[in-house]
PDB file of all heavy atoms in Angstrom:
ATOM      1  N   SER G 185      14.907  23.232  -9.924  1.00 84.00           N
ATOM      2  CA  SER G 185      14.875  23.638 -11.332  1.00 84.00           C
ATOM      3  C   SER G 185      13.664  23.063 -12.057  1.00 84.00           C
ATOM      4  O   SER G 185      13.257  23.576 -13.099  1.00 84.00           O
ATOM      5  CB  SER G 185      16.165  23.193 -12.038  1.00 84.00           C
ATOM      6  OG  SER G 185      16.238  21.781 -12.147  1.00 84.00           O
ATOM      7  N   PHE G 186      13.062  22.002 -11.518  1.00 90.00           N
ATOM      8  CA  PHE G 186      11.866  21.399 -12.108  1.00 90.00           C
ATOM      9  C   PHE G 186      10.575  21.980 -11.534  1.00 90.00           C
ATOM     10  O   PHE G 186       9.498  21.742 -12.079  1.00 90.00           O
ATOM     11  CB  PHE G 186      11.858  19.881 -11.872  1.00 90.00           C
ATOM     12  CG  PHE G 186      12.960  19.136 -12.573  1.00 90.00           C
ATOM     13  CD1 PHE G 186      13.550  18.027 -11.991  1.00 90.00           C
ATOM     14  CD2 PHE G 186      13.405  19.539 -13.819  1.00 90.00           C
ATOM     15  CE1 PHE G 186      14.557  17.329 -12.633  1.00 90.00           C
ATOM     16  CE2 PHE G 186      14.417  18.852 -14.471  1.00 90.00           C
ATOM     17  CZ  PHE G 186      14.993  17.745 -13.881  1.00 90.00           C
ATOM     18  N   ALA G 187      10.688  22.704 -10.435  1.00 92.00           N
ATOM     19  CA  ALA G 187       9.501  23.133  -9.700  1.00 92.00           C
ATOM     20  C   ALA G 187       8.727  24.229 -10.430  1.00 92.00           C
ATOM     21  O   ALA G 187       9.304  25.114 -11.057  1.00 92.00           O
ATOM     22  CB  ALA G 187       9.896  23.616  -8.313  1.00 92.00           C
ATOM     23  N   ALA G 188       7.407  24.140 -10.341  1.00 92.00           N
ATOM     24  CA  ALA G 188       6.539  25.175 -10.905  1.00 92.00           C
ATOM     25  C   ALA G 188       6.108  26.173  -9.845  1.00 92.00           C
ATOM     26  O   ALA G 188       5.849  27.339 -10.145  1.00 92.00           O
ATOM     27  CB  ALA G 188       5.301  24.532 -11.532  1.00 92.00           C
ATOM     28  N   ASN G 189       6.039  25.720  -8.582  1.00 94.00           N
ATOM     29  CA  ASN G 189       5.570  26.597  -7.508  1.00 94.00           C
ATOM     30  C   ASN G 189       6.350  26.315  -6.227  1.00 94.00           C
ATOM     31  O   ASN G 189       5.790  25.831  -5.237  1.00 94.00           O
ATOM     32  CB  ASN G 189       4.063  26.384  -7.289  1.00 94.00           C
ATOM     33  CG  ASN G 189       3.475  27.377  -6.302  1.00 94.00           C
ATOM     34  OD1 ASN G 189       4.005  28.472  -6.111  1.00 94.00           O
ATOM     35  ND2 ASN G 189       2.373  26.999  -5.660  1.00 94.00           N
ATOM     36  N   PRO G 190       7.651  26.618  -6.218  1.00 94.00           N
ATOM     37  CA  PRO G 190       8.461  26.348  -5.021  1.00 94.00           C
ATOM     38  C   PRO G 190       8.258  27.418  -3.959  1.00 94.00           C
ATOM     39  O   PRO G 190       7.799  28.528  -4.251  1.00 94.00           O
ATOM     40  CB  PRO G 190       9.888  26.382  -5.563  1.00 94.00           C
ATOM     41  CG  PRO G 190       9.822  27.380  -6.686  1.00 94.00           C
ATOM     42  CD  PRO G 190       8.453  27.189  -7.311  1.00 94.00           C
ATOM     43  N   THR G 191       8.623  27.090  -2.744  1.00 95.00           N
ATOM     44  CA  THR G 191       8.588  28.069  -1.661  1.00 95.00           C
ATOM     45  C   THR G 191       9.612  27.682  -0.608  1.00 95.00           C
ATOM     46  O   THR G 191      10.179  26.580  -0.649  1.00 95.00           O
ATOM     47  CB  THR G 191       7.188  28.152  -1.023  1.00 95.00           C
ATOM     48  OG1 THR G 191       7.132  29.289  -0.154  1.00 95.00           O
ATOM     49  CG2 THR G 191       6.865  26.893  -0.220  1.00 95.00           C
ATOM     50  N   ASP G 192       9.867  28.580   0.324  1.00 93.00           N
ATOM     51  CA  ASP G 192      10.801  28.336   1.422  1.00 93.00           C
ATOM     52  C   ASP G 192      10.146  28.735   2.729  1.00 93.00           C
ATOM     53  O   ASP G 192       9.384  29.710   2.777  1.00 93.00           O
ATOM     54  CB  ASP G 192      12.100  29.135   1.230  1.00 93.00           C
ATOM     55  CG  ASP G 192      12.861  28.730  -0.016  1.00 93.00           C
ATOM     56  OD1 ASP G 192      13.546  27.687   0.020  1.00 93.00           O
ATOM     57  OD2 ASP G 192      12.779  29.458  -1.025  1.00 93.00           O
ATOM     58  N   ILE G 193      10.430  28.001   3.787  1.00 95.00           N
ATOM     59  CA  ILE G 193       9.907  28.349   5.105  1.00 95.00           C
ATOM     60  C   ILE G 193      11.018  28.237   6.137  1.00 95.00           C
ATOM     61  O   ILE G 193      11.978  27.483   5.965  1.00 95.00           O
ATOM     62  CB  ILE G 193       8.734  27.434   5.514  1.00 95.00           C
ATOM     63  CG1 ILE G 193       9.187  25.971   5.608  1.00 95.00           C
ATOM     64  CG2 ILE G 193       7.564  27.579   4.558  1.00 95.00           C
ATOM     65  CD1 ILE G 193       8.156  25.066   6.263  1.00 95.00           C
ATOM     66  N   ASP G 194      10.883  28.974   7.208  1.00 93.00           N
ATOM     67  CA  ASP G 194      11.864  28.937   8.293  1.00 93.00           C
ATOM     68  C   ASP G 194      11.719  27.649   9.083  1.00 93.00           C
ATOM     69  O   ASP G 194      10.604  27.222   9.410  1.00 93.00           O
ATOM     70  CB  ASP G 194      11.672  30.127   9.228  1.00 93.00           C
ATOM     71  CG  ASP G 194      12.055  31.444   8.581  1.00 93.00           C
ATOM     72  OD1 ASP G 194      12.753  31.414   7.553  1.00 93.00           O
ATOM     73  OD2 ASP G 194      11.649  32.505   9.107  1.00 93.00           O
ATOM     74  N   VAL G 195      12.856  27.028   9.381  1.00 94.00           N
ATOM     75  CA  VAL G 195      12.879  25.850  10.246  1.00 94.00           C
ATOM     76  C   VAL G 195      13.989  26.042  11.269  1.00 94.00           C
ATOM     77  O   VAL G 195      14.906  26.840  11.076  1.00 94.00           O
ATOM     78  CB  VAL G 195      13.124  24.549   9.447  1.00 94.00           C
ATOM     79  CG1 VAL G 195      11.975  24.271   8.506  1.00 94.00           C
ATOM     80  CG2 VAL G 195      14.447  24.606   8.680  1.00 94.00           C
ATOM     81  N   ARG G 196      13.880  25.304  12.355  1.00 91.00           N
ATOM     82  CA  ARG G 196      14.876  25.427  13.410  1.00 91.00           C
ATOM     83  C   ARG G 196      16.155  24.668  13.067  1.00 91.00           C
ATOM     84  O   ARG G 196      16.137  23.730  12.276  1.00 91.00           O
ATOM     85  CB  ARG G 196      14.288  24.912  14.727  1.00 91.00           C
ATOM     86  CG  ARG G 196      13.206  25.801  15.302  1.00 91.00           C
ATOM     87  CD  ARG G 196      12.480  25.131  16.440  1.00 91.00           C
ATOM     88  NE  ARG G 196      11.612  24.039  15.964  1.00 91.00           N
ATOM     89  CZ  ARG G 196      10.860  23.298  16.777  1.00 91.00           C
ATOM     90  NH1 ARG G 196      10.881  23.512  18.084  1.00 91.00           N
ATOM     91  NH2 ARG G 196      10.101  22.334  16.275  1.00 91.00           N
ATOM     92  N   HIS G 197      17.243  25.091  13.678  1.00 88.00           N
ATOM     93  CA  HIS G 197      18.537  24.458  13.434  1.00 88.00           C
ATOM     94  C   HIS G 197      19.268  24.319  14.755  1.00 88.00           C
ATOM     95  O   HIS G 197      19.343  25.263  15.542  1.00 88.00           O
ATOM     96  CB  HIS G 197      19.374  25.290  12.458  1.00 88.00           C
ATOM     97  CG  HIS G 197      20.630  24.604  12.011  1.00 88.00           C
ATOM     98  ND1 HIS G 197      21.890  25.064  12.330  1.00 88.00           N
ATOM     99  CD2 HIS G 197      20.818  23.488  11.268  1.00 88.00           C
ATOM    100  CE1 HIS G 197      22.801  24.260  11.795  1.00 88.00           C
ATOM    101  NE2 HIS G 197      22.184  23.308  11.143  1.00 88.00           N
ATOM    102  N   ALA G 198      19.789  23.134  15.017  1.00 85.00           N
ATOM    103  CA  ALA G 198      20.487  22.869  16.272  1.00 85.00           C
ATOM    104  C   ALA G 198      21.947  22.547  16.016  1.00 85.00           C
ATOM    105  O   ALA G 198      22.319  22.068  14.939  1.00 85.00           O
ATOM    106  CB  ALA G 198      19.820  21.689  16.998  1.00 85.00           C
ATOM    107  N   ALA G 199      22.774  22.821  17.013  1.00 77.00           N
ATOM    108  CA  ALA G 199      24.182  22.437  16.924  1.00 77.00           C
ATOM    109  C   ALA G 199      24.282  20.919  16.993  1.00 77.00           C
ATOM    110  O   ALA G 199      23.462  20.255  17.639  1.00 77.00           O
ATOM    111  CB  ALA G 199      24.972  23.069  18.058  1.00 77.00           C
ATOM    112  N   ARG G 200      25.254  20.374  16.329  1.00 69.00           N
ATOM    113  CA  ARG G 200      25.454  18.921  16.354  1.00 69.00           C
ATOM    114  C   ARG G 200      25.904  18.502  17.743  1.00 69.00           C
ATOM    115  O   ARG G 200      26.939  18.969  18.233  1.00 69.00           O
ATOM    116  CB  ARG G 200      26.494  18.530  15.302  1.00 69.00           C
ATOM    117  CG  ARG G 200      26.610  17.023  15.082  1.00 69.00           C
ATOM    118  CD  ARG G 200      27.681  16.715  14.059  1.00 69.00           C
ATOM    119  NE  ARG G 200      27.776  15.288  13.835  1.00 69.00           N
ATOM    120  CZ  ARG G 200      27.239  14.656  12.800  1.00 69.00           C
ATOM    121  NH1 ARG G 200      26.576  15.342  11.898  1.00 69.00           N
ATOM    122  NH2 ARG G 200      27.362  13.357  12.665  1.00 69.00           N
ATOM    123  N   GLU G 201      25.142  17.603  18.370  1.00 62.00           N
ATOM    124  CA  GLU G 201      25.451  17.183  19.735  1.00 62.00           C
ATOM    125  C   GLU G 201      26.442  16.032  19.785  1.00 62.00           C
ATOM    126  O   GLU G 201      27.262  15.937  20.692  1.00 62.00           O
ATOM    127  CB  GLU G 201      24.155  16.779  20.454  1.00 62.00           C
ATOM    128  CG  GLU G 201      23.179  17.941  20.630  1.00 62.00           C
ATOM    129  CD  GLU G 201      21.927  17.522  21.374  1.00 62.00           C
ATOM    130  OE1 GLU G 201      21.869  16.349  21.816  1.00 62.00           O
ATOM    131  OE2 GLU G 201      21.024  18.360  21.520  1.00 62.00           O
ATOM    132  N   GLU G 202      26.344  15.118  18.824  1.00 60.00           N
ATOM    133  CA  GLU G 202      27.204  13.939  18.813  1.00 60.00           C
ATOM    134  C   GLU G 202      27.845  13.786  17.438  1.00 60.00           C
ATOM    135  O   GLU G 202      27.289  14.207  16.426  1.00 60.00           O
ATOM    136  CB  GLU G 202      26.406  12.666  19.142  1.00 60.00           C
ATOM    137  CG  GLU G 202      25.678  12.700  20.477  1.00 60.00           C
ATOM    138  CD  GLU G 202      26.598  12.618  21.663  1.00 60.00           C
ATOM    139  OE1 GLU G 202      27.790  12.282  21.454  1.00 60.00           O
ATOM    140  OE2 GLU G 202      26.158  12.883  22.790  1.00 60.00           O
ATOM    141  N   GLY G 203      29.035  13.139  17.419  1.00 54.00           N
ATOM    142  CA  GLY G 203      29.699  12.882  16.145  1.00 54.00           C
ATOM    143  C   GLY G 203      30.283  14.143  15.535  1.00 54.00           C
ATOM    144  O   GLY G 203      30.256  15.228  16.117  1.00 54.00           O
ATOM    145  N   THR G 204      30.821  13.988  14.343  1.00 57.00           N
ATOM    146  CA  THR G 204      31.420  15.112  13.632  1.00 57.00           C
ATOM    147  C   THR G 204      30.894  15.166  12.208  1.00 57.00           C
ATOM    148  O   THR G 204      30.513  14.151  11.631  1.00 57.00           O
ATOM    149  CB  THR G 204      32.966  14.978  13.592  1.00 57.00           C
ATOM    150  OG1 THR G 204      33.311  13.741  12.965  1.00 57.00           O
ATOM    151  CG2 THR G 204      33.542  15.020  15.004  1.00 57.00           C
ATOM    152  N   SER G 205      30.895  16.357  11.647  1.00 56.00           N
ATOM    153  CA  SER G 205      30.421  16.526  10.284  1.00 56.00           C
ATOM    154  C   SER G 205      31.402  15.902   9.303  1.00 56.00           C
ATOM    155  O   SER G 205      32.623  15.955   9.491  1.00 56.00           O
ATOM    156  CB  SER G 205      30.252  18.017   9.971  1.00 56.00           C
ATOM    157  OG  SER G 205      29.958  18.211   8.608  1.00 56.00           O
ATOM    158  N   SER G 206      30.867  15.304   8.232  1.00 57.00           N
ATOM    159  CA  SER G 206      31.729  14.705   7.212  1.00 57.00           C
ATOM    160  C   SER G 206      32.209  15.742   6.204  1.00 57.00           C
ATOM    161  O   SER G 206      33.013  15.435   5.327  1.00 57.00           O
ATOM    162  CB  SER G 206      30.971  13.588   6.477  1.00 57.00           C
ATOM    163  OG  SER G 206      29.816  14.105   5.851  1.00 57.00           O
ATOM    164  N   TYR G 207      31.711  16.984   6.321  1.00 57.00           N
ATOM    165  CA  TYR G 207      32.103  18.038   5.396  1.00 57.00           C
ATOM    166  C   TYR G 207      33.211  18.885   6.023  1.00 57.00           C
ATOM    167  O   TYR G 207      32.965  19.681   6.927  1.00 57.00           O
ATOM    168  CB  TYR G 207      30.910  18.940   5.059  1.00 57.00           C
ATOM    169  CG  TYR G 207      30.016  18.390   3.975  1.00 57.00           C
ATOM    170  CD1 TYR G 207      28.819  17.763   4.286  1.00 57.00           C
ATOM    171  CD2 TYR G 207      30.356  18.499   2.638  1.00 57.00           C
ATOM    172  CE1 TYR G 207      27.991  17.251   3.286  1.00 57.00           C
ATOM    173  CE2 TYR G 207      29.546  18.004   1.628  1.00 57.00           C
ATOM    174  CZ  TYR G 207      28.367  17.378   1.970  1.00 57.00           C
ATOM    175  OH  TYR G 207      27.556  16.883   0.983  1.00 57.00           O
ATOM    176  N   ASN G 208      34.442  18.732   5.512  1.00 60.00           N
ATOM    177  CA  ASN G 208      35.523  19.625   5.914  1.00 60.00           C
ATOM    178  C   ASN G 208      35.665  20.720   4.854  1.00 60.00           C
ATOM    179  O   ASN G 208      34.896  20.783   3.899  1.00 60.00           O
ATOM    180  CB  ASN G 208      36.832  18.847   6.094  1.00 60.00           C
ATOM    181  CG  ASN G 208      37.189  18.019   4.850  1.00 60.00           C
ATOM    182  OD1 ASN G 208      36.869  18.410   3.718  1.00 60.00           O
ATOM    183  ND2 ASN G 208      37.825  16.875   5.063  1.00 60.00           N
ATOM    184  N   LEU G 209      36.657  21.590   5.031  1.00 60.00           N
ATOM    185  CA  LEU G 209      36.808  22.727   4.128  1.00 60.00           C
ATOM    186  C   LEU G 209      37.054  22.267   2.696  1.00 60.00           C
ATOM    187  O   LEU G 209      36.473  22.804   1.742  1.00 60.00           O
ATOM    188  CB  LEU G 209      37.958  23.633   4.596  1.00 60.00           C
ATOM    189  CG  LEU G 209      38.226  24.879   3.733  1.00 60.00           C
ATOM    190  CD1 LEU G 209      36.982  25.760   3.661  1.00 60.00           C
ATOM    191  CD2 LEU G 209      39.412  25.659   4.284  1.00 60.00           C
TER     192      LEU G 209
END
Side-chain angles (χ1 to χ4, degrees):
S185 68
F186 294 145
N189 187 25
T191 191
D192 297 281
I193 62 169
D194 291 343
V195 295
R196 290 169 289 180
H197 188 246
R200 190 182 181 100
E201 296 181 4
E202 303 289 347
T204 58
S205 173
S206 60
Y207 277 101
N208 54 32
L209 180 59

